[in-house]
Amino acid sequence: MHDQAEKDIAEDVVAARLGEEIGKLKAWFQVPPGLGVRLHILPRQPGDIEDDGVFHFAILGPDAASDARAPSKAALAFLTEKTGPHTPRAYPNAVLLVVPSRDGLHAVKARIRDARAWEKVEADLNQMEGTVDPARKTQLQAKLQAAKQSVPGLLRQAYHVVVTVSEQGQPQAFRITVSDGPLFEAVKASQDARIKDTALDADALLPGGAYPLWHEGDTRRRVKDLVNAFAANPALPKMLRTQDIYDTLADGCAKGAFVLQLTRPDRTVRTWWFGRPDEAVMKDKDLELVLSEAGTLAELDSALLAQGRLPGLWPGDTLAVRQVCAYFQGGHAVSLDKGGYEEPLVIPRAELATVDAAITQAVVAGTLWLINEPASLLGEPIPAGILTEVAMLRPPPAAINVLELLPAALADAWNDSRTTGLAIAEALSRKTGQPLPWKIVRDAINGALRAHYLEVEGGWPCEFSAAQVALREKKAVPPKPGRPGTGETVSPPPQALFKIAEAELQIHELQDLAEVAPELLNLAASQTPLRFFVQIRLGDGQTAPLPELVEKIDTVLAQVREDWRMTG
């Protein structure tokens, strides 16, 4: 009965049951989220798979069954055609197909036919109720269930042929080992698939890198073309996410590996270097990657001029404007430490006007301090004629301790408990040996006014040109200097507000103090600040210490704190 029933089953019945079984594998066909892959289950025609450069993963039906190393005509059509034989795909490297093998499909169909035959036998036996041996019926049920239960596993095993383009650009079919895990994971694990799901290195996208993206003599390429090349060129790996390529290029620009340039419709130009364009800019069709040796910066981020931002720009704590101009004159390169080896970094060219604009912005923003004596500027515009090649740039000076403005620390700025902003600025500049910018002095005076150490007579705040406004010390808070010239002073306020413990300590007592200092801080932390002021006195009060001795002691003190020096 079974053999005859099997012969009587029509092919379209088997095909219909096969379609139902394939539909039950839908969950197995799914691609894990977040991979950037577009999934197509049983597309009907090549046009159902877009030709847009995005990675496409398609599960084809029985009509596309292939043998390993011999993709079927139907599979080839989906792989190479956009809508028909006369419209080839522009991005074939972004298409990956999985089809059943011919042998595997034959085995599945045979098992479906077997199961369907047992169903027919069961139906016939049910019409003979009462005359069928129960043991025979039990045996029939076992064979029917075995046939049905084997179909899903056989069908999974049948879908083990991958069709794609090879590294040489030819269609290829190869086998994979499938499991109960997602089918796509098995495909991705195959080296023959050449799938890359991690970010690239920016250097690999440049001339001489790992990938053939540039022609000899090229100095610029559109970013969109570089990204699409991975979908179009079979010699490149298959990138799951085009966003990874955009991110790699953005990271490379942020590290200064090249210049990104966008020419607007009005022909004006924007450039990025050591900066990261936003996503909309990165995906603009007109954005270009320009090699640094051929690039000219249309704009220069003023923050890049700060000390420590650009490699090789600052030789020390001062930087001449002429050195900045030379850095961006073109044809200049610096060495980057890559951890065990050095690599050159080419600096793009920038016009002098672009460099001057960046310096001006940095000075106005307070990023750079410009000195071209007598001019000293920070946080304000640069007057015409001051920004010359001999002007010097420095990092902004440290904020001035407000107690450093008072007579005890800055006596030559005061006369009969009165002074002016100009006198304070000049005295501080003499003390530091360089003309301080008015902003730093003004901020210190503002702090002293807020802290009630000074009172103002006249209009305040003011610009440097009006710095003759009179100031006087508030006698209610008589300060005295602790360590002049270091920005740290001792100011004994009213005893009702502070408690002070003073003592002359021996060396072993200093060590004891260091041991109990954490306990003192813990005791005071929850209620009020506790500070330590240290005064070291050298000399007997009759003969001045030798300068050589003072210098040696200063060297030792600098080991504790860099700016700690003997004064007086």
Side-chain angles (χ1 to χ4, degrees):
M1 294 180 67
H2 174 271
D3 292 344
Q4 185 59 47
E6 195 172 36
K7 293 177 182 179
D8 292 342
I9 297 173
E11 188 63 33
D12 59 342
V13 173
V14 175
R17 179 66 65 87
L18 177 61
E20 293 175 4
E21 293 296 332
I22 293 175
K24 294 177 183 178
L25 295 182
K26 189 173 183 180
W28 184 58
F29 294 145
Q30 294 300 311
V31 175
L35 293 182
V37 177
R38 291 186 186 171
L39 173 65
H40 307 266
I41 299 178
L42 305 181
R44 295 184 178 183
Q45 55 191 3
D48 292 340
I49 302 176
E50 298 88 344
D51 187 38
D52 53 7
V54 176
F55 193 95
H56 293 273
F57 179 60
I59 312 297
L60 302 188
D63 292 344
S66 305
D67 294 326
R69 301 179 182 173
S72 65
K73 184 177 180 180
L76 288 176
F78 279 95
L79 179 65
T80 62
E81 298 174 10
K82 186 187 302 185
T83 56
H86 302 297
T87 55
R89 286 189 178 275
Y91 305 112
N93 203 41
V95 177
L96 194 146
L97 313 172
V98 177
V99 301
S101 69
R102 289 190 175 97
D103 290 344
L105 192 61
H106 180 75
V108 173
K109 286 183 175 180
R111 208 57 172 151
I112 289 176
R113 193 180 296 276
D114 181 36
R116 189 72 183 84
W118 285 119
E119 289 175 349
K120 180 68 169 58
V121 171
E122 182 183 41
D124 292 345
L125 290 179
N126 286 338
Q127 293 179 358
M128 303 167 58
E129 194 68 40
T131 61
V132 180
D133 182 4
R136 184 182 177 189
K137 192 170 184 179
T138 300
Q139 186 180 29
L140 182 150
Q141 286 289 338
K143 291 182 177 180
L144 175 59
Q145 290 303 316
K148 285 183 175 182
Q149 291 174 1
S150 66
V151 170
L154 285 174
L155 189 55
R156 286 175 185 260
Q157 293 301 318
Y159 270 98
H160 68 255
V161 176
V162 178
V163 178
T164 187
V165 290
S166 70
E167 194 171 359
Q168 291 72 37
Q170 300 299 317
Q172 69 170 150
F174 57 87
R175 294 177 181 271
I176 60 170
T177 302
V178 299
S179 64
D180 291 337
L183 175 61
F184 184 76
E185 292 297 332
V187 175
K188 186 159 68 74
S190 171
Q191 291 185 351
D192 291 329
R194 298 185 302 109
I195 292 175
K196 188 170 181 61
D197 65 346
T198 57
L200 303 170
D201 184 81
D203 290 340
L205 304 181
L206 298 178
Y211 305 121
L213 294 168
W214 297 74
H215 299 296
E216 186 176 354
D218 285 348
T219 59
R220 62 178 63 215
R221 285 208 66 183
R222 288 200 312 168
V223 166
K224 189 173 183 63
D225 291 343
L226 289 173
V227 173
N228 288 339
F230 285 86
N233 188 351
L236 302 175
K238 293 175 171 64
M239 294 297 297
L240 288 187
R241 295 173 293 270
T242 57
Q243 186 61 46
D244 285 345
I245 310 174
Y246 283 114
D247 289 344
T248 295
L249 292 170
D251 290 342
C253 181
K255 294 176 181 178
F258 44 78
V259 176
L260 290 178
Q261 177 176 305
L262 178 63
T263 302
R264 303 185 183 97
D266 62 1
R267 309 311 299 168
T268 57
V269 174
R270 283 198 67 188
T271 55
W272 291 262
W273 181 68
F274 269 103
R276 188 184 181 93
D278 61 36
E279 186 172 347
V281 170
M282 287 302 304
K283 295 185 177 179
D284 192 298
K285 64 181 180 62
D286 294 320
L287 184 68
E288 292 181 296
L289 185 156
V290 183
L291 301 182
S292 292
E293 55 265 35
T296 297
L297 298 177
E299 53 201 301
L300 178 60
D301 184 359
S302 63
L304 295 177
L305 300 182
Q307 190 177 35
R309 288 294 303 273
L310 291 179
L313 176 60
W314 286 76
D317 290 334
T318 60
L319 175 67
V321 169
R322 69 160 62 94
Q323 291 175 295
V324 184
C325 296
Y327 189 85
F328 290 103
Q329 68 182 357
H332 177 60
V334 298
S335 294
L336 289 182
D337 185 357
K338 291 290 187 175
Y341 69 98
E342 290 190 344
E343 189 174 275
L345 176 71
V346 178
I347 309 302
R349 181 175 177 274
E351 300 285 354
L352 291 179
T354 303
V355 175
D356 285 352
I359 293 175
T360 299
Q361 292 168 9
V363 171
V364 171
T367 306
L368 292 180
W369 170 21
L370 183 141
I371 302 173
N372 193 354
E373 294 193 39
S376 177
L377 303 170
L378 178 72
E380 58 183 312
I382 303 175
I386 301 300
L387 183 56
T388 66
E389 65 175 14
V390 299
M392 302 300 295
L393 302 173
R394 295 178 62 93
I400 301 170
N401 188 313
V402 296
L403 300 180
E404 290 286 341
L405 309 184
L406 304 182
L410 200 64
D412 58 344
W414 292 82
N415 183 15
D416 193 21
S417 297
R418 292 179 180 272
T419 187
T420 65
L422 177 60
I424 288 177
E426 292 176 344
L428 286 172
S429 295
R430 287 193 298 272
K431 189 172 184 178
T432 58
Q434 53 195 356
L436 291 177
W438 176 240
K439 179 182 184 301
I440 294 295
V441 178
R442 184 179 60 207
D443 289 348
I445 293 174
N446 281 333
L449 292 170
R450 290 194 303 271
H452 306 294
Y453 283 103
L454 296 180
E455 293 178 325
V456 65
E457 298 177 352
W460 184 266
C462 68
E463 298 301 323
F464 183 72
S465 59
Q468 291 287 0
V469 61
L471 300 165
R472 65 173 180 268
E473 181 184 11
K474 293 188 76 169
K475 293 298 184 180
V477 188
K480 67 178 182 180
R483 294 190 290 122
T486 66
E488 190 65 43
T489 59
V490 179
S491 176
Q495 290 295 318
L497 300 179
F498 282 79
K499 294 297 182 182
I500 298 174
E502 294 183 353
E504 182 177 348
L505 301 181
Q506 302 298 319
I507 295 299
H508 71 277
E509 292 173 321
L510 281 174
Q511 295 172 343
D512 293 340
L513 176 62
E515 292 178 1
V516 302
E519 182 179 355
L520 293 174
L521 291 171
N522 287 333
L523 289 172
S526 61
Q527 298 182 18
T528 186
L530 178 67
R531 302 177 65 191
F532 297 89
F533 295 86
V534 179
Q535 184 184 76
I536 298 177
R537 182 179 297 173
L538 175 66
D540 56 7
Q542 298 179 5
T543 304
L546 295 175
E548 296 82 5
L549 176 60
V550 174
E551 183 176 351
K552 291 178 181 179
I553 291 178
D554 284 346
T555 301
V556 176
L557 290 176
Q559 298 176 19
V560 179
R561 177 165 167 163
E562 186 177 358
D563 58 355
W564 202 359
R565 298 287 187 274
M566 285 283 179
T567 60

